[in-house]
């Protein structure tokens, strides 16, 4: 499909703010120190009337409408914005020749040097994301990739736009590709899309 850069950007912003919580906090007038009595009499001194030095008008007084922690920034992105975002990022990776298909995710040994040489030989770039249909990988794959920060493995059920975008190359197994293709095509062409998207509105 024709990639939508704006929808990809919406997905990235949503994932960045998904778990972000602001801990900025200011004290209201009931929380600041002092101010148990009037600072001076109401009349007779020629001064402005004040009831407490905790007032926001005073220095070191309470803050009005300041940030109160914890403040979550969670919001729900529309369902089909996420679907089109995944389809768009796959289209971009394919157009840039950064999407590679393998029969299965298996390595002949558990050495990290083998993966580095493989990445260099096949021009996979500095970072690679492996996508498999199973949550459990083989022992050789787990040991070989454990010490490499530039390589990540993800299942089709945890696939997201941010992970696909931040890696230079995406290597996907045939079984995982069939699952993703079936799910995306089904969601993009289903006739009851309005009823499905209602439950994701907030």
């Amino acid at each position: 499909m024709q990639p939508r850069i704006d929808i990809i950007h919406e997905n990235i912003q949503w994932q960045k703010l998904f778990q972000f919580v602001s801990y900025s906090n200011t004290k209201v007038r009931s929380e600041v120190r002092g101010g148990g009595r009037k600072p001076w009499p109401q009349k007779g001194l020629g001064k402005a009337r004040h009831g407490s030095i905790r007032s926001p008008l005073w220095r070191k007084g309470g803050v009005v409408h300041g940030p109160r922690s914890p403040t979550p920034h969670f919001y729900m992105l529309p369902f089909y914005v996420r679907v089109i975002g995944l389809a768009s990022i796959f289209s971009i990776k394919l157009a840039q020749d950064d999407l590679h298909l393998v029969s299965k995710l298996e390595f002949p040994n558990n050495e990290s040097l083998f993966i580095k040489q493989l990445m260099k030989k096949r021009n996979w770039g500095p970072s690679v994301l492996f996508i498999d249909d199973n949550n459990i990988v083989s022992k050789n794959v787990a040991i070989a990739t454990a010490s490499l920060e530039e390589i990540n493995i993800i299942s089709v059920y945890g696939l997201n736009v941010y992970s696909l975008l931040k890696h230079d190359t995406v290597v996907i197994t045939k079984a995982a590709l069939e699952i993703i293709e079936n799910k995306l095509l089904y969601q993009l062409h289903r006739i009851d899309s309005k009823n499905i998207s209602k439950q994701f509105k907030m």
Side-chain angles (χ1 to χ4, degrees), residues 90 101-103 131-134 154-156 159 171-182:
F90 272 114
L101 181 66
V102 294
S103 58
I131 304 175
D132 199 6
D133 63 322
N134 199 346
I154 193 171
S155 68
V156 292
L159 197 60
V171 179
I172 185 170
T173 62
K174 185 178 179 181
L177 181 62
E178 290 177 355
I179 295 174
I180 295 171
E181 184 180 12
N182 292 334

Side-chain angles (χ1 to χ4, degrees), residues 16-24 68-74:
K16 284 183 176 180
L17 296 176
F18 188 80
Q19 294 181 332
F20 176 70
V21 178
S22 175
Y23 291 97
S24 300
R68 303 287 290 173
S69 69
T71 305
H73 290 261
F74 168 81

